[in-house]
Amino acid sequence: MSYDAFYPGRVWLDTDGKRIQAHGGSLMVLNGVYYWYGENKEKTDGKNGIWHWGVRCYSSTDLYNWKDEGIIIPPEPEDPDSSLHPSACMDRPHIIYNQCTKKFVCWLKIMNKDQTQSETVLTADNLLGPYTKVREGLRPLGMSAGDFDLAVAEDGKAYYYFERVHSETICADLTEDYTDVTGYYSTHFPRSGPPYVREATAHFVRRGRHYLITSGTTGYLPNPSEAAIADTWHGPYTVLGDPHPEDESQTSFHSQISSVFKVPGKKDLYIACADRWLPEAMDKQYPVYREMFEKIFSGRAEEFDFSRMGAQVVENTAIADYVWLPITFEGDKPVIHWLDSWRWEDYE
């Protein structure tokens, strides 16, 4: 199978004809080659208790056709206490490169059995591994740390944006080796709890200004995204609203943005890379979405059954799809329109 464009929401196959398994993932460019990595859900059928099967990576020279480079962080099925055991709720791998240590540094979010959330940190000499665990059970700043993003400034300083679980968003400075936090941090978007608390933070910089796109907390059920802007890494951030103005379903086109990728060589092209976690439920659950959002996002959250948003409910995410769409801008506000297909070459 060969592609010459993006087809948001359709099944996306690798060059071997298999579903791409890079969920909750991000992209990186090395020596002119694109790398896309994320959660490998190939064995997660919603019945066998397997949450993940490691972190898988793909390579491409055109962003459309992806070669499977294999599992770069394997699961540890023989150790039930490992944060990499297949039943452990490992999510949203993010990898950044440290110019000083010459190491690739990967952070993983782990949802623990006691409902707290911690981080596992690994390093490698090469993007494709092998990776060595350097921290496990890390509670940054002593906090239960949820969905996150990592970002590196031009001067090499790195930042960690994460959900302080069911409370607020934190921007924390990373240590020089990127494997821990320094203790300096700022707080943003304080909310009373789910579904209003922001998660799935995606950071990007445009024309010197900092953007965060986040999701509400409704488990695998998609919800309205929210964009915010600031002049510095630590803000303060001004909320700009939902970047999907044409989406009547208020579900971010039935997806959740995991990262934003600036296309090299383009003046102003950013791609919102999103997961459609439950594609089979999209049509039949549309009335459920409407009822849910009318309640929980219009001041009647107490009427919604939050037990449906259990953090460790295993769904058949092996068939989850991807929704990659270009971000355009109205002034400083990011806007995402639906396109059945599109090509990055057609943008400036």
Side-chain angles (χ1 to χ4, degrees), residues 63-82:
L63 289 174
Y64 306 128
N65 299 282
W66 294 91
K67 175 187 175 185
D68 183 6
E69 296 290 352
I71 297 175
I72 60 173
I73 299 177
E76 297 181 350
E78 304 304 318
D79 183 358
D81 295 323
S82 169

Side-chain angles (χ1 to χ4, degrees), residues 68-341:
D68 183 6
E69 296 290 352
I71 297 175
I72 60 173
I73 299 177
E76 297 181 350
E78 304 304 318
D79 183 358
D81 295 323
S82 169
S83 59
L84 292 176
H85 188 270
S87 66
C89 298
M90 180 275 288
D91 285 342
R92 299 185 181 277
H94 285 284
I95 302 173
I96 51 179
Y97 181 68
N98 191 308
Q99 287 283 359
C100 293
T101 64
K102 307 302 180 184
K103 296 284 187 179
F104 290 88
V105 183
C106 178
W107 286 52
L108 307 172
K109 182 193 84 173
I110 311 297
M111 291 184 283
N112 302 305
K113 295 177 182 178
D114 63 0
Q115 302 301 310
T116 62
Q117 299 184 41
S118 60
E119 308 298 307
T120 292
V121 183
L122 310 94
T123 63
D125 294 327
N126 299 289
L127 174 63
L128 300 181
Y131 283 82
T132 301
K133 276 187 277 187
V134 295
R135 301 188 192 280
E136 197 168 23
L138 174 66
R139 288 173 55 88
L141 306 167
M143 300 176 182
S144 181
D147 289 359
F148 69 98
D149 198 1
L150 301 177
V152 180
E154 290 184 358
D155 64 1
K157 188 172 182 178
Y159 299 85
Y160 167 49
Y161 293 90
F162 69 95
E163 174 208 358
R164 183 180 187 181
V165 175
H166 295 172
S167 174
E168 60 193 341
T169 297
I170 304 292
C171 174
D173 290 8
L174 292 187
T175 54
E176 289 187 9
D177 65 2
Y178 301 171
T179 69
D180 204 346
V181 292
T182 65
Y184 184 83
Y185 68 98
S186 54
T187 63
H188 311 275
F189 319 131
R191 304 288 167 86
S192 58
Y196 310 104
V197 175
R198 312 314 299 170
E199 68 174 9
T201 303
H203 170 275
F204 66 98
V205 178
R206 175 182 182 259
R207 297 180 179 176
R209 307 196 75 185
H210 297 264
Y211 289 83
L212 299 178
I213 297 182
T214 57
S215 165
T217 42
T218 54
Y220 278 126
L221 294 177
N223 59 65
S225 298
E226 184 176 275
I229 189 172
D231 291 324
T232 69
W233 293 89
H234 283 282
Y237 281 86
T238 299
V239 174
L240 301 176
D242 188 349
H244 304 84
E246 299 171 351
D247 179 26
E248 295 183 358
S249 71
Q250 294 184 283
T251 63
S252 306
F253 298 130
H254 301 279
S255 68
Q256 183 185 48
I257 295 172
S258 63
S259 61
V260 174
F261 178 65
K262 171 69 167 61
V263 179
K266 292 293 183 177
K267 292 181 181 179
D268 205 27
L269 179 57
Y270 297 79
I271 301 177
C273 304
D275 295 276
R276 181 171 285 173
W277 291 108
L278 304 175
E280 290 186 334
M282 189 178 75
D283 292 329
K284 69 181 180 181
Q285 287 196 353
Y286 179 80
V288 176
Y289 292 147
R290 292 298 302 175
E291 178 186 3
M292 177 178 70
F293 294 128
E294 285 175 2
K295 290 180 179 179
I296 66 178
F297 290 107
S298 62
R300 297 187 294 131
E302 69 280 355
E303 300 179 31
F304 182 70
D305 180 9
F306 285 98
S307 67
R308 296 163 62 187
M309 302 183 342
Q312 299 190 38
V313 174
V314 179
E315 299 279 359
N316 182 14
T317 49
I319 61 168
D321 291 323
Y322 305 96
V323 177
W324 285 21
L325 290 166
I327 301 176
T328 57
F329 295 86
E330 296 178 356
D332 286 331
K333 183 177 180 179
V335 177
I336 303 171
H337 299 286
W338 179 261
L339 296 169
D340 289 329
S341 66

Side-chain angles (χ1 to χ4, degrees), residues 43-73:
K43 297 181 183 291
T44 304
D45 63 6
K47 300 175 183 179
N48 56 18
I50 293 176
W51 184 269
H52 73 91
W53 202 255
V55 177
R56 188 178 287 275
C57 187
Y58 298 81
S59 65
S60 174
T61 57
D62 61 10
L63 289 174
Y64 306 128
N65 299 282
W66 294 91
K67 175 187 175 185
D68 183 6
E69 296 290 352
I71 297 175
I72 60 173
I73 299 177

Side-chain angles (χ1 to χ4, degrees), residues 10-58:
R10 298 190 195 178
V11 175
W12 201 349
L13 305 178
D14 64 20
T15 54
D16 292 326
K18 298 178 180 178
R19 280 182 180 268
I20 293 174
Q21 296 289 342
H23 305 286
S26 293
L27 280 74
M28 181 179 288
V29 183
L30 296 174
N31 299 318
V33 178
Y34 303 104
Y35 292 90
W36 176 15
Y37 59 87
E39 305 159 33
N40 179 19
K41 296 285 194 177
E42 64 179 325
K43 297 181 183 291
T44 304
D45 63 6
K47 300 175 183 179
N48 56 18
I50 293 176
W51 184 269
H52 73 91
W53 202 255
V55 177
R56 188 178 287 275
C57 187
Y58 298 81

